Amino acid sequence: MTKPITRAEAEVFELFHESVFVRDMQGQIHFWNSASETLYEWSSQLAVGSNARALLQCQGTGRPEAADAKLLADGHWRGELCRTTASGGRRDVNVRWSLRRDASGAPVGIIETSHDISAAKEIERRLIDSEYRYRNLFQAMAASFWELDFTKVGAKLRVLLDSGVEDLETYFQDHPEVVREYLRDTRVIDLNDHSVRLFGRGNREEMLGSVDPYWPDASIQVYARCIVKSLARHPNNIEVTRLQTLDGRELECLFTACFSKENMARGIILIGIIDLSEQVAARQALEVMQTELAHAARISILGELTASITHEINQPLGAISAYAEAGLRWLRRPDPDLKEVEMALQSIVSEAKRTDDVITRVRNMAVRRAPAECVIPINDVIRESLQFTRHQLQKHRVRVELELASSLPDIKADRVLIQQVMVNLVMNAVQAMALKENAGRELFIQTTHLLDGKIAVHIVDSGPGISEDHLERLFESFFTTKATGMGMGLPICRSIIEAAGGEIKLANRSDGQQGADIVLTLPEATADCLMGGGNSV
């Protein structure tokens, strides 16, 4: 029989935010704190005296006997378990067992502390799914992607630079044999199925080796310029060139090499190739790629907004729990207050609707589908986008000022895509302003109806502004000023706005204040759209 806990111990355990309960060596529960009641939904009266494993239906990654043996050997055990609540729900919990001993040192019981990691496990599962989807995207997109290892080239470049060579571009022009040597030393470590179809003979393993066979003599200076630009810390190199298949055919290609900091530190270059010899097929591939990249960018945005979404959902869920508990208390009174119960139930319905609205917004943003134009009010889209980013705005103490023109004509566009543009631009502004410590952070959004019939949206922030060196390059694919950015957010925004017949411009503020000024212009929906050419939502 376990040594009963003292009143002092019980009072301390009740202060814990984590679940704490005490059981004897046979598993019978002798103490069960309030946090355990909240986590597992079993009251102390029902839990005390029950067998812990039978009550909670524990499931773990290993055998229970192994955990018990380690507990007896070491005096403690830590791990993750999946348990069942009183209502039949499942909880992933992080558990720590500590052995209790009597005065002679014999084990007499176990103290368990645990906390809920269900949300973290769900996020982990979603991240794994996301990585799987991105790998499928790498394989499924109608473009050729390669991962190249240039570690040996890096070592030879250091020797070359140490020898006194300063003008690498001229040196490579004068010594093409050196470029060819570097090509032989650059290894293909991964490529997608489209690359095998385009350049190979059906055998992927055959292509995992030197990149040299794919480069005709006329194109080796493209590779040389990639080296020069990577050393100059350019984000990418994009050129039209000719590459060679294993069976000797030459293809006119759009060649892109991306030099992200993370990959360069590992000696890796990611290249993308689009076959331009079949223009129609290439255009279709670009359209598919744009849709896929827009979807990938939305998933990326949702990843950045995970904390916001969690906060948005947890607030109404917490309120629902509080209203439900209050309703139960009023019902359990000797003279139940039915009016208060009715008000609590009405609040629960309202908060449940609020939770459903959040989930609907996330689902609409995450779904992969072809663009669907419809007639939409731009002011509503702006307000919806601010709902998505509300938590980030609050977290970084950004004051938002709206000046939305009334009676604006509708626009014709894909609602989710325009929402994606707004969320991306607002997040960019928030992240820029977050770099300025102890400074006023203000975001001003204005809509106006221009004389030429177009709708203008101004997004003005109080961040550090845009470097003059970057102004002309912000819409280049893979160009980014963020350490972990992909450089695809603004190019995708521009493609979405231009597809809707509009325009996007970025500049620094012209009012003498520091910050950026982004202007979107979109055409108003035509009479045909309003009469039935588009589906209003």
Side-chain angles (χ1 to χ4, degrees):
M1 197 71 172
T2 186
K3 179 181 178 182
I5 66 170
T6 65
R7 179 183 295 273
E9 286 177 318
E11 290 175 351
V12 170
F13 291 159
E14 277 296 335
L15 296 176
F16 279 42
H17 294 296
E18 291 186 332
S19 162
V20 180
F21 67 87
V22 180
R23 56 188 171 93
D24 61 26
M25 299 306 294
Q26 289 72 44
Q28 186 178 23
I29 297 171
H30 289 255
F31 173 79
W32 185 265
N33 75 344
S34 299
S36 300
E37 293 184 342
T38 302
L39 178 59
Y40 298 114
E41 303 173 2
W42 290 101
S43 67
S44 177
Q45 290 86 348
L46 292 175
V48 172
S50 301
N51 182 276
R53 282 180 178 156
L55 183 74
L56 300 174
Q57 302 177 37
C58 305
Q59 297 178 12
T61 55
R63 295 181 297 108
E65 296 82 5
D68 292 342
K70 182 170 178 56
L71 174 68
L72 290 173
D74 301 340
H76 57 83
W77 177 83
R78 174 176 289 173
E80 294 180 3
L81 297 173
C82 181
R83 286 173 164 167
T84 304
T85 66
S87 63
R90 307 298 290 172
R91 293 283 189 277
D92 290 309
V93 290
N94 189 292
V95 173
R96 180 179 175 84
W97 296 343
S98 297
L99 202 60
R100 289 168 62 86
R101 301 180 185 274
D102 61 15
S104 66
V108 294
I110 300 161
I111 298 177
E112 175 182 309
T113 59
S114 60
H115 63 273
D116 189 0
I117 58 171
S118 301
K121 296 291 286 185
E122 179 61 23
I123 291 173
E124 181 182 335
R125 284 191 286 268
R126 290 181 181 178
L127 285 175
I128 292 172
D129 290 343
S130 178
E131 290 176 6
Y132 174 75
R133 285 195 297 271
Y134 278 116
R135 174 54 58 181
N136 282 346
L137 185 64
F138 179 80
Q139 287 294 347
M141 288 174 66
S144 171
F145 287 101
W146 307 54
E147 268 190 302
L148 306 180
D149 181 354
F150 66 101
T151 307
K152 288 185 179 180
V153 175
K156 291 185 176 182
L157 277 172
R158 283 190 290 272
V159 173
L160 184 62
L161 293 171
D162 290 342
S163 71
V165 175
E166 296 181 356
D167 188 348
L168 282 175
E169 191 164 0
T170 301
Y171 179 85
F172 289 145
Q173 289 282 356
D174 296 339
H175 298 86
E177 73 283 358
V178 174
V179 183
R180 182 59 70 183
E181 177 188 344
Y182 289 176
L183 280 164
R184 287 193 292 268
D185 287 336
T186 303
R187 315 294 294 177
V188 181
I189 57 176
D190 196 10
L191 70 171
N192 65 350
D193 292 343
H194 190 74
S195 302
V196 178
R197 291 192 294 270
L198 192 59
F199 289 94
R201 293 183 284 237
N203 183 355
R204 181 178 178 277
E205 298 301 318
E206 180 185 26
M207 300 181 67
L208 299 179
S210 172
V211 77
D212 179 62
Y214 309 101
W215 290 83
D217 289 338
S219 299
I220 64 172
Q221 291 305 321
V222 173
Y223 178 88
R225 283 191 288 275
C226 287
I227 292 176
V228 173
K229 288 190 175 182
S230 67
L231 291 176
R233 301 188 184 279
H234 287 259
N236 54 59
N237 183 51
I238 304 175
E239 297 190 44
V240 174
T241 189
R242 297 188 70 83
L243 297 177
Q244 187 171 282
T245 67
L246 285 182
D247 60 11
R249 293 179 296 111
E250 287 193 7
L251 304 175
E252 192 83 10
C253 300
L254 177 64
F255 171 86
T256 301
C258 181
F259 317 122
S260 72
K261 293 180 181 179
E262 294 82 1
N263 283 342
M264 291 294 291
R266 296 165 47 224
I268 300 296
I269 293 177
L270 177 65
I271 65 172
I273 302 166
I274 296 176
D275 179 13
L276 299 181
S277 59
E278 300 178 8
Q279 291 289 342
V280 174
R283 281 196 295 270
Q284 292 173 343
L286 284 170
E287 289 173 2
V288 172
M289 184 184 297
Q290 181 177 336
T291 300
E292 295 288 356
L293 284 174
H295 177 254
R298 288 200 297 277
I299 298 301
S300 177
I301 289 172
L302 290 178
E304 291 186 40
L305 294 175
T306 297
S308 303
I309 295 167
T310 302
H311 180 79
E312 287 277 336
I313 293 176
N314 281 343
Q315 277 192 331
L317 289 181
I320 288 172
S321 178
Y323 286 129
E325 290 175 357
L328 286 173
R329 287 197 302 272
W330 287 318
L331 279 176
R332 288 169 179 164
R333 289 179 177 179
D335 185 14
D337 192 335
L338 297 183
K339 183 63 177 177
E340 293 289 357
V341 173
E342 180 184 0
M343 292 173 61
L345 291 175
Q346 289 174 344
S347 298
I348 288 172
V349 171
S350 174
E351 295 297 330
K353 177 63 168 61
R354 180 178 161 196
T355 305
D356 182 66
D357 290 343
V358 174
I359 294 170
T360 299
R361 289 203 308 270
V362 174
R363 184 171 61 244
N364 289 341
M365 179 71 86
V367 70
R368 179 193 298 175
R369 56 173 176 73
E373 288 190 339
C374 56
V375 176
I376 56 175
I378 188 64
N379 287 347
D380 287 357
V381 175
I382 291 171
R383 295 187 185 97
E384 292 164 3
S385 303
L386 291 175
Q387 283 292 320
F388 258 114
T389 57
R390 181 174 62 180
H391 183 60
Q392 289 295 320
L393 291 164
Q394 293 173 347
K395 175 183 176 182
H396 294 288
R397 302 186 303 280
V398 176
R399 188 176 71 86
V400 179
E401 180 181 354
L402 295 179
E403 188 176 299
L404 307 182
S406 59
S407 304
L408 270 183
D410 292 336
I411 63 171
K412 185 182 180 185
D414 183 296
R415 190 186 196 100
V416 171
L417 292 181
I418 299 300
Q419 188 180 82
Q420 177 181 349
V421 170
M422 290 301 306
V423 170
N424 191 294
L425 296 178
V426 170
M427 287 294 293
N428 282 353
V430 171
Q431 291 164 2
M433 288 187 285
L435 299 176
K436 294 180 62 178
E437 296 184 2
N438 302 320
R441 298 168 183 169
E442 298 180 348
L443 184 67
F444 174 70
I445 301 178
Q446 177 191 56
T447 57
T448 54
H449 191 194
L450 304 180
L451 293 177
D452 60 0
K454 294 184 178 179
I455 309 300
V457 181
H458 280 263
I459 304 169
V460 183
D461 66 57
S462 61
I466 306 169
S467 167
E468 294 296 328
D469 295 335
H470 296 159
L471 274 173
E472 299 300 321
R473 306 189 59 203
L474 288 174
F475 292 108
E476 290 181 12
S477 296
F478 302 113
F479 176 78
T480 179
T481 59
K482 300 176 185 177
T484 58
M486 289 179 60
M488 291 304 297
L490 287 176
I492 290 172
C493 287
R494 182 171 67 174
S495 67
I496 290 171
I497 295 300
E498 290 180 350
E503 187 178 17
I504 179 171
K505 292 182 179 179
L506 275 76
N508 286 311
R509 293 174 61 164
S510 58
D511 59 359
Q513 301 294 318
Q514 199 174 33
D517 183 2
I518 303 169
V519 183
L520 309 178
T521 55
L522 290 159
E524 65 181 81
T526 63
D528 289 343
C529 296
L530 297 174
M531 293 292 290
N535 297 318
S536 181
V537 292

